Amino acid sequence: MFREIRNRFLRFLVIFIYFVIIFFCSIELNFLWLFGYSPDMQDIKTPVLSVGSEVFTADGKLIGQYYKENRSPVDLKHISPNLINALISTEDVRFYSHGGVDFYSFFTSMVSTAKGERRGGSTITQQLAKNLFETRKRKSQGFIRKVPLINTVVYKFKEWLTAFKIEHVYSKQKILELYFNTVPFGNNTFGIKTATLKYFNKQPDQVSPGEAALLIGMLKATSSYNPIRNPERATERRNTVLGQMLKNGSITKDQYTSSSQSPIKLDLSYVEEDSHGDSYLRRAVEKWLDKWCKDNGYDLYEDGLKIYTTIDSRMQQYAEEAVAEKMKMLQKRFYNLWGNKNPWRDSKGVEIKDFILKNEQKLPIYKLLDKKFGGDTLKISEYFKTKKRMTVFTWHGEQDTTFSTIDSIKYYAKLLNTGMMTLEPSTGKIKVWIGGIDHRFFNYDHVNQSRRQAGSTFKPFAYLTALDNGYTPCDKFTDQPVTIKYKDNGKDEVWQPNNADFHFSYQEMSLRWAMGKSVNSITAQLTEKVGWDKIVQYAHKCGIESPLKSVPSVSLGSNDVSVYEMVRAYSTFLNKGQKIDPLLVTKITDQQGNVIDEFELKQEKVLSEETAWLMLYMFRGGMEEPGGTSQALWEYPGLWKKDNQIGGKTGTSSDYVDGWYMGITKDLVTGVWVGADDRSVHFTSSETGEGSHTALPIFGRFMEKVYADPKLGYTYGPFPKPWSKITKNYNCPSPHIAADTTEVDSTSNPIDTTNVIPTPAASTPENPETTPANQK
């Protein structure tokens, strides 16, 4: 058919155009899968941006983000004209006159390149096509990608086709908006809002001409013109952009002079202050929403969700302040206790000689070194002894130092850690979540990941079982030796628990007094009466989900549980016997604020109102009964105003490894754990390592701060009055005899599991908790 065209040059032109059309159609249709994916009109109309999700506190403060591409979309009306003018002046001066492809700019750029002056010819629309649809990424490529030169032609044609489609669907204003929200600024920073906040701590509508020129100038090479790493080159590039703006009439001569002569002024505080990075709370929210995302088809890292948590930013701050204040003191106490001696010891106090080696072998790099050096332990050891520069955590801020791997293992093994959670049982809302002392250096969450021996904080489940099965707070037992025979995996065992001071008073005590003073012998007798299997059932019923070994010592806290579980279980008593599923998230919205889902409190009746109220009365015994283990709280005057009442339970595991405090007010339940991550590292005495001396002070200081802030709404006051008729006798005050006021709760000395009862100690030290050494 081409022969009918007599004019030779016209015929060649038509043939060329024909094959160009065929080539474009082949690209569009991905003929024989040679050319890869091309976005169709539906893709153009509904582009999918990878937008990170944001996490907020209950009072609206941004506390974290999830993103694969760090991006926060913004409307064009909220973008400064300085940015728009800088972009058009530098990247596409004929933006408003072309239809997606500027052929004049394309051909002149080819001429410039041929002369050795490389210059881009892509329009803003073409760049948007690359940013939005990844037209040069592997998924957009077919077999042609393996053919040099041809693949470049295909990429360029594909961008042209996509640019024409974009111009057909969108207005110029919308194209600019999409561009600003997709353009990369390096370092996983996408979109103009993220960039202006990162570099200037400003919203996109607040930037000056010079700041706009700096950001737009980065687009040529985000690494080379990064103002943090290369300030001189960034300044030079900024001034080039300002020159283009002056040439295009976007700024005046005075503005050009002023902006080009000003030094770069960055404000990098935004990311640090708003903690967009990882954190215990951010991780907890991700875990909490894991099933919801799977069930509803959402991706936290790409779908731009706004997640509103139950956390109160002010209470979280007060908790962090209390932790920092008290943990600094505890760490100093720990260092003073051990001095230059290594604290990693077995149950007999003997140093564990292979402690460092075992920790080396736990490191991911150990297997690589073992393979690299063919199992040569001397070379591996030499590697771990080599000094290197590193940054370490200290309570005075991050510190650069020179450590070997062995130095680092020793240093971090001696650091104490903590986990803390506060819950409002009436609503089920988690108000405070502190997974550790610093997430950057200690990723392990000590609220819901870590499980440690509960010590005497588990005793209340024995008393709960008794009260719910016929006993009253006034029923009396005698503090005396007890022997319990039982079977463990078919083997006959004998358990003879001691009180912490190896002393039995042979005094008759009410159950409330015994729980308030945390008397091991009476707790053990009660356990035998009600049955350890039943105690396990009640603990699970209240919300403990960890597996519990059903043995007599279960009531003294020989099992491992989490702070989260303990706070949840204790909240059952303040919530009228209703077990709750704690809420960490209240609602989720999309970018426009449309509610996607809301979460409501789920609760289940597991105790009668009478039993729940009686347990609150029992908890008050820690403050009110003679020798009550919570009485160290009297040292915090900010807690005792307007007839305020606080109940609680301290706990310390064997060898003072774990210190606990569970605190209850009329509105809140708080759980605190303190200890070293390795269980062989611990305090050595009740005076230094009791829960009343480690975890309780954090609770006391935290609640002082909470009560001092009237805006929080948590006021002083007594515990609630009975929610229903109390049929059991409970008004049986204990005699307030002269007692050793230093006596505190514990189960920390090893419980004797032989048939020999130790001779009572000559003196009465602070009462540590005891958990069986063979169940540690």
Side-chain angles (χ1 to χ4, degrees), residues 731-747:
N731 189 15
C732 45
S734 302
H736 280 260
I737 57 177
D740 183 357
T741 57
T742 65
E743 227 172 4
V744 287
D745 171 42
S746 155
T747 70

Side-chain angles (χ1 to χ4, degrees), residues 435-450:
I437 55 177
D438 191 304
H439 186 272
R440 180 180 173 189
F441 296 92
F442 307 91
N443 293 156
Y444 202 60
D445 193 319
H446 297 87
V447 171
N448 67 346
Q449 280 184 294
S450 176

Side-chain angles (χ1 to χ4, degrees), residues 595-742:
V595 176
I596 296 173
D597 207 345
E598 292 184 280
F599 301 92
E600 297 180 352
L601 178 62
K602 295 179 181 178
Q603 46 190 349
E604 175 188 358
K605 189 75 171 177
V606 295
L607 300 174
S608 68
E609 291 186 352
E610 180 182 13
T611 298
W613 187 87
L614 286 173
M615 282 302 297
L616 292 182
Y617 178 70
M618 295 283 284
F619 280 116
R620 282 166 44 200
M623 291 299 301
E624 298 172 1
E625 294 288 346
T629 61
S630 292
Q631 292 180 5
L633 287 177
W634 289 122
E635 298 175 12
Y636 297 88
L639 303 179
W640 309 110
K641 299 176 182 179
K642 301 180 181 179
D643 299 320
N644 195 41
Q645 289 181 333
I646 295 177
K649 191 74 192 72
T650 57
T652 316
S653 68
S654 180
D655 297 328
Y656 313 98
V657 172
D658 306 288
W660 289 77
Y661 190 71
M662 301 297 301
I664 306 175
T665 70
K666 66 182 179 65
D667 301 304
L668 302 169
V669 174
T670 297
V672 183
W673 167 87
V674 172
D677 282 327
D678 194 296
R679 300 190 194 211
S680 67
V681 179
H682 48 77
F683 287 101
T684 59
S685 67
S686 61
E687 289 81 2
T688 56
E690 282 285 353
S692 59
H693 292 145
T694 58
L696 179 146
I698 294 175
F699 169 81
R701 190 71 187 97
F702 165 65
M703 286 306 303
E704 277 193 323
K705 291 174 177 287
V706 170
Y707 285 135
D709 187 347
K711 294 180 181 179
L712 292 176
Y714 297 110
T715 58
Y716 298 101
F719 275 22
K721 295 181 179 180
W723 301 298
S724 61
K725 183 179 180 181
I726 305 301
T727 62
K728 295 180 178 179
N729 181 27
Y730 66 90
N731 189 15
C732 45
S734 302
H736 280 260
I737 57 177
D740 183 357
T741 57
T742 65

Side-chain angles (χ1 to χ4, degrees), residues 20 47 49 147 275 347 367 444 463-464 597 638 656 696 715 738 767:
V20 166
L49 287 180
V147 183
S275 301
S347 59
K367 289 184 179 180
Y444 202 60
Y463 291 87
L464 163 65
D597 207 345
Y656 313 98
L696 179 146
T715 58
N767 192 11

Side-chain angles (χ1 to χ4, degrees), residues 200 202 208-214 227 231-240 242 251 253-266:
F200 304 114
K202 289 183 177 182
S208 66
E211 292 166 341
L214 179 72
E232 292 183 1
R233 297 188 68 179
T235 301
E236 182 182 341
R237 177 62 182 163
R238 177 201 66 180
N239 293 345
T240 298
L242 286 169
I251 57 175
K253 181 67 175 178
D254 289 341
Q255 286 178 311
Y256 169 79
T257 302
S258 173
S259 299
S260 62
Q261 292 179 356
S262 298
I264 293 176
K265 295 180 181 179
L266 302 178

Side-chain angles (χ1 to χ4, degrees), residues 474-700:
C474 295
D475 287 336
K476 294 184 177 181
F477 284 74
T478 300
D479 175 18
Q480 61 187 6
V482 57
T483 299
I484 299 177
K485 297 180 180 180
Y486 67 103
K487 286 186 179 292
D488 185 13
N489 294 324
K491 183 181 178 181
D492 291 332
E493 300 283 354
V494 176
W495 185 49
Q496 292 183 295
N498 289 301
N499 285 333
D501 56 4
F502 294 99
H503 174 75
F504 299 99
S505 67
Y506 293 90
Q507 188 171 19
E508 194 176 58
M509 297 181 180
S510 69
L511 290 185
R512 187 181 193 244
W513 188 0
M515 181 174 137
K517 194 177 180 182
S518 198
V519 182
N520 293 341
S521 66
I522 293 179
T523 304
Q525 294 173 57
L526 194 64
T527 299
E528 185 176 27
K529 293 286 187 183
V530 301
W532 41 92
D533 288 342
K534 188 167 283 188
I535 292 172
V536 168
Q537 291 174 9
Y538 271 83
H540 284 317
K541 184 189 292 188
C542 288
I544 301 295
E545 295 179 342
S546 292
L548 302 173
K549 187 174 182 179
S550 185
V551 290
S553 61
V554 66
S555 57
L556 299 192
S558 58
N559 288 286
D560 288 353
V561 294
S562 68
V563 171
Y564 178 92
E565 292 174 298
M566 291 295 285
V567 172
R568 178 190 186 188
Y570 270 53
S571 70
T572 305
F573 309 128
L574 195 58
N575 198 39
K576 303 181 181 180
Q578 299 267 6
K579 180 186 73 174
I580 63 175
D581 287 334
L583 287 172
L584 185 56
V585 176
T586 54
K587 72 175 180 179
I588 300 175
T589 72
D590 60 21
Q591 284 288 322
Q592 286 70 45
N594 302 310
V595 176
I596 296 173
D597 207 345
E598 292 184 280
F599 301 92
E600 297 180 352
L601 178 62
K602 295 179 181 178
Q603 46 190 349
E604 175 188 358
K605 189 75 171 177
V606 295
L607 300 174
S608 68
E609 291 186 352
E610 180 182 13
T611 298
W613 187 87
L614 286 173
M615 282 302 297
L616 292 182
Y617 178 70
M618 295 283 284
F619 280 116
R620 282 166 44 200
M623 291 299 301
E624 298 172 1
E625 294 288 346
T629 61
S630 292
Q631 292 180 5
L633 287 177
W634 289 122
E635 298 175 12
Y636 297 88
L639 303 179
W640 309 110
K641 299 176 182 179
K642 301 180 181 179
D643 299 320
N644 195 41
Q645 289 181 333
I646 295 177
K649 191 74 192 72
T650 57
T652 316
S653 68
S654 180
D655 297 328
Y656 313 98
V657 172
D658 306 288
W660 289 77
Y661 190 71
M662 301 297 301
I664 306 175
T665 70
K666 66 182 179 65
D667 301 304
L668 302 169
V669 174
T670 297
V672 183
W673 167 87
V674 172
D677 282 327
D678 194 296
R679 300 190 194 211
S680 67
V681 179
H682 48 77
F683 287 101
T684 59
S685 67
S686 61
E687 289 81 2
T688 56
E690 282 285 353
S692 59
H693 292 145
T694 58
L696 179 146
I698 294 175
F699 169 81

Side-chain angles (χ1 to χ4, degrees), residues 22 60 93 109 127 257 281-282 360 485 624 711-712 766:
I22 293 295
V93 71
S109 69
Q127 293 178 45
T257 302
L281 187 54
R282 177 185 174 278
E360 288 174 357
K485 297 180 180 180
E624 298 172 1
K711 294 180 181 179
L712 292 176
E766 285 194 78

Side-chain angles (χ1 to χ4, degrees), residues 231-484:
E232 292 183 1
R233 297 188 68 179
T235 301
E236 182 182 341
R237 177 62 182 163
R238 177 201 66 180
N239 293 345
T240 298
V241 175
L242 286 169
Q244 290 296 109
M245 294 174 72
L246 176 63
K247 181 180 178 181
N248 202 40
S250 300
I251 57 175
T252 64
K253 181 67 175 178
D254 289 341
Q255 286 178 311
Y256 169 79
T257 302
S258 173
S259 299
S260 62
Q261 292 179 356
S262 298
I264 293 176
K265 295 180 181 179
L266 302 178
D267 182 349
L268 306 177
S269 61
Y270 176 76
V271 172
E272 295 174 1
E273 293 178 354
D274 285 351
S275 301
H276 287 198
D278 214 348
S279 68
Y280 297 110
L281 187 54
R282 177 185 174 278
R283 288 286 184 180
V285 171
E286 182 175 15
K287 184 177 180 181
W288 199 87
L289 287 175
D290 182 58
K291 186 177 184 302
W292 180 88
C293 288
K294 289 179 181 176
D295 291 346
N296 295 276
Y298 283 99
D299 187 331
L300 286 180
Y301 289 83
E302 293 189 336
D303 290 338
L305 306 175
K306 292 185 180 293
I307 302 157
Y308 296 88
T309 69
T310 58
I311 299 296
D312 187 291
S313 66
R314 294 159 298 179
M315 292 178 70
Q316 181 77 12
Q317 179 184 339
Y318 297 151
E320 290 172 358
E321 291 171 353
V323 163
E325 176 185 331
K326 297 301 180 182
M327 288 299 290
K328 284 180 186 177
M329 297 169 59
L330 288 172
Q331 192 64 58
K332 185 176 181 181
R333 181 194 304 170
F334 189 81
Y335 285 149
N336 290 339
L337 173 66
W338 286 102
N340 294 324
K341 295 183 295 184
N342 291 326
W344 33 91
R345 309 276 166 153
D346 61 21
S347 59
K348 296 180 181 179
V350 179
E351 182 180 342
I352 301 171
K353 298 300 182 182
D354 60 351
F355 178 84
I356 300 299
L357 177 60
K358 287 184 176 178
N359 277 274
E360 288 174 357
Q361 293 172 344
K362 292 177 184 177
L363 297 173
I365 197 174
Y366 189 89
K367 289 184 179 180
L368 297 175
L369 294 174
D370 188 47
K371 184 177 180 180
K372 178 180 179 181
F373 297 128
D376 189 330
T377 56
L378 290 178
K379 289 185 178 180
I380 296 174
S381 177
E382 190 63 31
Y383 175 87
F384 286 128
K385 289 178 182 177
T386 303
K387 302 279 188 179
K388 57 183 78 70
R389 294 291 297 173
M390 63 176 67
T391 302
V392 298
F393 167 86
T394 77
W395 279 111
H396 302 289
E398 297 177 8
Q399 183 174 319
D400 291 329
T401 187
T402 303
F403 267 1
S404 68
T405 302
I406 292 175
D407 295 332
S408 178
I409 290 173
K410 289 180 177 179
Y411 176 76
Y412 280 110
K414 295 177 183 178
L415 289 179
L416 300 175
N417 221 312
T418 189
M420 178 178 179
M421 173 177 155
T422 297
L423 180 71
E424 186 179 74
S426 62
T427 63
K429 294 179 179 179
I430 299 171
K431 294 295 183 178
V432 166
W433 187 296
I434 296 180
I437 55 177
D438 191 304
H439 186 272
R440 180 180 173 189
F441 296 92
F442 307 91
N443 293 156
Y444 202 60
D445 193 319
H446 297 87
V447 171
N448 67 346
Q449 280 184 294
S450 176
R451 283 170 170 74
R452 302 295 286 256
Q453 281 190 347
S456 286
T457 56
F458 209 84
K459 285 178 181 175
F461 298 113
Y463 291 87
L464 163 65
T465 306
L467 292 183
D468 210 43
N469 288 274
Y471 288 84
T472 76
C474 295
D475 287 336
K476 294 184 177 181
F477 284 74
T478 300
D479 175 18
Q480 61 187 6
V482 57
T483 299
I484 299 177

